[in-house]
Amino acid sequence: GEDVEQSLFLSVREGDSSVINCTYTDSSSTYLYWYKQEPGAGLQLLTYIFSNMDMKQDQRLTVLLNKKDKHLSLRIADTQTGDSAIYFCAERKGGDDKIIFGKGTRLHILP
Amino acid sequence: DSGVTQTPKHLITATGQRVTLRCSPRSGDLSVYWYQQSLDQGLQFLIQYYNGEERAKGNILERFSAQQFPDLHSELNLSSLELGDSALYFCASSVGLTGSAGTQYFGPGTRLLVL
């Protein structure tokens, strides 16, 4: 199956929290990343977490890593219209420069 | 602005033709990666170069080739183009040092349309 899986769509009301989930398969993954892609633009690194961490917080973003279940999530607090984008989860395997990307989750903000 | 530049932004060409996409990595980055993004396939890794040498190969067709020059810029050559090659092509760069976070910084992409 796919190395990195994430749901394709998520709709959230403006002001609510968004939670985007991702699962990966390689237990030797060293770093896990979240990228954001706005329409017509390239991928922008939002944050990353090292595999020996459980949580990382950066302003409105919180990343949770459950290494046992190989589950990664990105929580966006107080979701704004500017958060509307595609969010890609990605993993870097141990001993490798290559990063494997999921297919992306399109976040839609409801007024 | 990620510091990675790609030219051209848009390219329209015909089937059977050949095109060259160019990428300049962030200052100090030694690794360059090429990706293809299409609607049905998502983001597909094509190839990676590190300091002028090919380092990893992904789903790159034989009609496609790439190289990294001594000044570290890279070019992706696409030949015998087919309709299905229409996509966004991204370049990314990273420091490329083992043990670093390996964060890749993406350029704005080149949108290729094959008619």
Side-chain angles (χ1 to χ4, degrees), chain B residues 60-105:
Chain B
I60 188 164
L61 299 170
E62 283 196 18
R63 300 184 284 111
F64 296 0
S65 65
Q67 54 184 327
Q68 187 180 26
F69 294 87
D71 67 352
L72 301 177
H73 91 270
S74 178
E75 291 181 355
L76 178 68
N77 301 295
L78 315 176
S79 60
S80 303
L81 284 166
E82 301 175 1
L83 296 177
D85 297 327
S86 295
L88 261 171
Y89 291 85
F90 287 108
C91 166
S93 73
S94 74
V95 171
L97 294 172
T98 303
S100 70
T103 305
Q104 292 181 19
Y105 295 88

Coordinates of all heavy atoms in Angstrom, one line a residue, chain B residues 60-105:
Chain B
I60 N 11.0 8.1 -12.5 CA 11.3 8.9 -13.7 C 11.4 8.1 -14.9 O 11.9 7.0 -15.0 CB 12.7 9.7 -13.4 CG1 13.0 10.7 -14.5 CG2 13.8 8.7 -13.2 CD1 14.0 11.7 -14.2
L61 N 10.7 8.6 -15.9 CA 10.6 7.9 -17.2 C 11.9 8.0 -17.9 O 12.7 8.9 -17.7 CB 9.5 8.5 -18.1 CG 8.1 8.5 -17.5 CD1 7.1 9.3 -18.4 CD2 7.6 7.1 -17.5
E62 N 12.2 7.0 -18.8 CA 13.4 7.0 -19.6 C 13.5 8.2 -20.5 O 14.6 8.7 -20.9 CB 13.5 5.7 -20.4 CG 13.9 4.6 -19.5 CD 14.4 3.4 -20.3 OE1 14.8 3.6 -21.5 OE2 14.4 2.3 -19.8
R63 N 12.4 8.8 -20.9 CA 12.3 10.0 -21.8 C 12.8 11.2 -21.0 O 13.0 12.3 -21.6 CB 10.9 10.2 -22.3 CG 10.4 9.1 -23.1 CD 9.0 9.4 -23.6 NE 7.9 9.4 -22.7 CZ 7.3 10.4 -22.2 NH1 7.6 11.6 -22.6 NH2 6.3 10.3 -21.3
F64 N 12.9 11.1 -19.7 CA 13.2 12.3 -18.9 C 14.7 12.1 -18.4 O 15.1 10.9 -18.0 CB 12.3 12.4 -17.7 CG 10.9 12.7 -18.0 CD1 10.4 12.8 -19.3 CD2 9.9 12.8 -16.9 CE1 9.1 13.1 -19.5 CE2 8.6 13.1 -17.2 CZ 8.2 13.2 -18.5
S65 N 15.4 13.2 -18.3 CA 16.7 13.1 -17.7 C 17.0 14.4 -16.9 O 16.3 15.4 -17.1 CB 17.8 12.9 -18.8 OG 17.8 14.0 -19.6
A66 N 18.0 14.4 -16.1 CA 18.3 15.5 -15.3 C 19.8 15.6 -15.1 O 20.5 14.6 -15.3 CB 17.6 15.5 -14.0
Q67 N 20.3 16.8 -14.7 CA 21.6 16.9 -14.3 C 21.8 18.1 -13.4 O 20.9 19.0 -13.3 CB 22.6 17.1 -15.5 CG 22.2 18.2 -16.5 CD 23.1 18.2 -17.7 OE1 24.3 17.8 -17.6 NE2 22.6 18.6 -18.8
Q68 N 22.9 18.0 -12.6 CA 23.2 19.2 -11.7 C 24.6 19.6 -12.1 O 25.5 18.9 -12.2 CB 23.1 18.7 -10.2 CG 23.3 19.9 -9.3 CD 23.3 19.5 -7.8 OE1 23.6 18.3 -7.5 NE2 22.9 20.4 -6.9
F69 N 24.7 20.9 -12.3 CA 25.9 21.5 -12.8 C 26.8 21.9 -11.6 O 26.4 22.0 -10.5 CB 25.5 22.7 -13.6 CG 24.8 22.3 -14.9 CD1 23.4 22.2 -14.9 CD2 25.5 22.1 -16.1 CE1 22.7 21.8 -16.0 CE2 24.8 21.7 -17.2 CZ 23.4 21.5 -17.2
P70 N 28.1 22.3 -11.9 CA 29.0 22.7 -10.9 C 28.5 23.8 -10.0 O 28.9 23.9 -8.9 CB 30.3 23.0 -11.7 CG 30.2 22.2 -12.9 CD 28.8 22.1 -13.3
D71 N 27.8 24.7 -10.6 CA 27.2 25.8 -9.8 C 26.0 25.4 -9.0 O 25.4 26.3 -8.4 CB 26.9 27.1 -10.6 CG 25.8 26.9 -11.6 OD1 25.3 25.7 -11.7 OD2 25.3 27.8 -12.2
L72 N 25.7 24.2 -9.1 CA 24.6 23.5 -8.3 C 23.2 23.7 -8.9 O 22.2 23.1 -8.4 CB 24.6 23.9 -6.8 CG 25.9 23.5 -6.1 CD1 25.9 24.0 -4.7 CD2 26.2 22.0 -6.2
H73 N 23.0 24.5 -9.9 CA 21.7 24.6 -10.5 C 21.5 23.3 -11.3 O 22.4 22.5 -11.6 CB 21.6 25.8 -11.4 CG 21.9 25.6 -12.9 ND1 23.2 25.8 -13.4 CD2 21.1 25.2 -13.9 CE1 23.2 25.5 -14.7 NE2 21.9 25.2 -15.0
S74 N 20.2 23.0 -11.5 CA 19.8 21.7 -12.1 C 18.9 21.9 -13.2 O 18.1 22.9 -13.3 CB 19.2 20.8 -11.0 OG 18.7 19.6 -11.6
E75 N 18.9 21.0 -14.2 CA 18.0 21.1 -15.3 C 17.3 19.7 -15.4 O 17.9 18.7 -15.3 CB 18.7 21.4 -16.6 CG 19.2 22.8 -16.6 CD 19.9 23.2 -17.9 OE1 20.1 22.3 -18.8 OE2 20.3 24.4 -18.0
L76 N 16.0 19.7 -15.7 CA 15.2 18.5 -16.0 C 14.8 18.6 -17.5 O 14.2 19.6 -17.9 CB 14.0 18.5 -15.1 CG 13.1 17.3 -15.3 CD1 13.7 16.0 -14.9 CD2 11.8 17.5 -14.5
N77 N 15.3 17.6 -18.2 CA 15.0 17.5 -19.7 C 13.9 16.5 -19.9 O 14.0 15.4 -19.5 CB 16.2 17.1 -20.4 CG 17.3 18.1 -20.2 OD1 17.3 19.2 -20.6 ND2 18.4 17.6 -19.6
L78 N 12.8 16.9 -20.6 CA 11.7 16.1 -20.9 C 11.6 16.0 -22.4 O 11.5 17.0 -23.1 CB 10.4 16.7 -20.3 CG 10.4 17.2 -18.9 CD1 9.1 17.8 -18.5 CD2 10.7 16.1 -17.9
S79 N 11.7 14.8 -22.9 CA 11.7 14.6 -24.4 C 10.5 13.7 -24.9 O 9.9 13.1 -24.0 CB 13.0 14.1 -24.9 OG 13.2 12.8 -24.3
S80 N 10.3 13.8 -26.2 CA 9.2 13.0 -26.8 C 7.9 13.1 -26.0 O 7.3 12.2 -25.6 CB 9.6 11.5 -26.9 OG 10.8 11.3 -27.6
L81 N 7.6 14.4 -25.7 CA 6.5 14.7 -24.8 C 5.2 14.1 -25.2 O 4.9 14.1 -26.4 CB 6.4 16.2 -24.6 CG 7.5 16.8 -23.7 CD1 7.5 18.3 -23.9 CD2 7.2 16.4 -22.3
E82 N 4.4 13.6 -24.3 CA 3.1 13.1 -24.5 C 2.1 13.9 -23.7 O 2.5 14.7 -22.8 CB 3.1 11.6 -24.0 CG 4.1 10.7 -24.7 CD 4.1 9.3 -24.1 OE1 3.3 9.1 -23.1 OE2 4.9 8.5 -24.6
L83 N 0.8 13.8 -24.1 CA -0.2 14.6 -23.4 C -0.2 14.3 -21.9 O -0.4 15.3 -21.1 CB -1.6 14.2 -23.9 CG -1.9 14.5 -25.4 CD1 -3.3 14.0 -25.8 CD2 -1.8 16.0 -25.7
G84 N 0.1 13.1 -21.5 CA 0.1 12.8 -20.1 C 1.2 13.4 -19.3 O 1.3 13.2 -18.1
D85 N 2.2 14.0 -20.0 CA 3.3 14.7 -19.3 C 2.9 16.0 -18.7 O 3.6 16.7 -18.0 CB 4.5 14.8 -20.2 CG 5.0 13.5 -20.6 OD1 5.0 12.5 -19.8 OD2 5.5 13.4 -21.8
S86 N 1.7 16.5 -19.1 CA 1.2 17.8 -18.6 C 1.0 17.7 -17.1 O 0.3 16.8 -16.6 CB -0.2 18.1 -19.3 OG 0.0 18.3 -20.7
A87 N 1.7 18.6 -16.4 CA 1.7 18.5 -15.0 C 2.5 19.8 -14.5 O 3.0 20.6 -15.2 CB 2.4 17.3 -14.5
L88 N 2.5 19.9 -13.1 CA 3.4 20.8 -12.5 C 4.7 20.1 -12.1 O 4.6 19.0 -11.5 CB 2.7 21.3 -11.2 CG 1.9 22.6 -11.1 CD1 1.2 22.8 -9.8 CD2 2.9 23.8 -11.4
Y89 N 5.8 20.7 -12.4 CA 7.1 20.1 -12.1 C 7.7 21.0 -11.0 O 7.9 22.2 -11.3 CB 7.9 20.0 -13.3 CG 7.4 18.9 -14.2 CD1 6.4 19.3 -15.2 CD2 7.9 17.6 -14.2 CE1 5.9 18.3 -16.0 CE2 7.3 16.7 -15.0 CZ 6.3 17.0 -15.9 OH 5.8 16.0 -16.7
F90 N 8.0 20.4 -9.9 CA 8.6 21.2 -8.8 C 10.1 20.7 -8.6 O 10.4 19.6 -8.7 CB 7.9 20.9 -7.5 CG 6.6 21.6 -7.4 CD1 5.4 20.8 -7.5 CD2 6.5 23.0 -7.2 CE1 4.2 21.4 -7.4 CE2 5.2 23.6 -7.1 CZ 4.1 22.8 -7.2
C91 N 10.8 21.7 -8.2 CA 12.2 21.5 -7.8 C 12.2 21.8 -6.3 O 11.5 22.7 -5.8 CB 13.1 22.4 -8.6 SG 14.8 22.5 -7.9
A92 N 13.0 21.1 -5.6 CA 13.2 21.4 -4.1 C 14.7 21.2 -3.8 O 15.4 20.5 -4.6 CB 12.4 20.4 -3.3
S93 N 15.1 21.9 -2.8 CA 16.5 21.8 -2.4 C 16.6 21.6 -0.9 O 15.7 21.9 -0.1 CB 17.4 23.0 -2.9 OG 17.1 24.1 -2.1
S94 N 17.7 21.0 -0.5 CA 18.0 20.8 0.9 C 19.5 20.9 1.1 O 20.3 20.7 0.2 CB 17.4 19.5 1.5 OG 18.2 18.4 1.0
V95 N 19.9 21.0 2.4 CA 21.3 21.1 2.7 C 22.0 19.8 2.3 O 23.1 19.8 1.8 CB 21.5 21.3 4.2 CG1 22.9 21.2 4.6 CG2 21.0 22.7 4.6
G96 N 21.2 18.7 2.6 CA 21.7 17.4 2.1 C 22.7 16.7 3.0 O 23.4 15.8 2.6
L97 N 22.9 17.2 4.2 CA 23.8 16.6 5.1 C 23.1 15.5 5.9 O 22.1 15.7 6.5 CB 24.4 17.7 6.1 CG 25.2 18.8 5.5 CD1 25.5 19.8 6.5 CD2 26.5 18.2 4.9
T98 N 23.8 14.4 6.0 CA 23.3 13.3 6.8 C 23.2 13.8 8.3 O 24.1 14.4 8.8 CB 24.2 12.1 6.8 OG1 24.4 11.7 5.4 CG2 23.7 10.9 7.6
G99 N 22.1 13.4 8.9 CA 21.9 13.9 10.3 C 21.1 15.2 10.4 O 20.6 15.5 11.5
S100 N 21.0 15.9 9.4 CA 20.2 17.1 9.4 C 18.7 16.8 9.3 O 18.4 15.6 9.0 CB 20.6 18.1 8.3 OG 20.2 17.6 7.1
A101 N 17.9 17.7 9.5 CA 16.4 17.5 9.4 C 16.0 17.1 8.0 O 15.0 16.5 7.8 CB 15.6 18.7 9.9
G102 N 16.9 17.4 7.0 CA 16.6 17.0 5.6 C 15.4 17.8 5.0 O 14.8 17.4 4.1
T103 N 15.1 18.9 5.7 CA 13.9 19.7 5.2 C 14.2 20.1 3.7 O 15.2 20.6 3.4 CB 13.8 21.0 6.0 OG1 13.6 20.5 7.4 CG2 12.5 21.7 5.6
Q104 N 13.1 19.9 2.9 CA 13.2 20.3 1.5 C 12.4 21.6 1.3 O 11.3 21.7 1.8 CB 12.7 19.2 0.6 CG 13.5 18.0 0.6 CD 13.0 16.9 -0.3 OE1 12.2 17.2 -1.2 NE2 13.5 15.7 -0.1
Y105 N 13.0 22.5 0.6 CA 12.4 23.8 0.3 C 12.0 23.8 -1.2 O 12.9 23.5 -2.0 CB 13.3 25.0 0.7 CG 13.6 25.0 2.1 CD1 14.6 24.3 2.7 CD2 12.8 25.8 3.0 CE1 14.9 24.3 4.1 CE2 13.0 25.8 4.3 CZ 14.0 25.1 4.9 OH 14.2 25.1 6.2

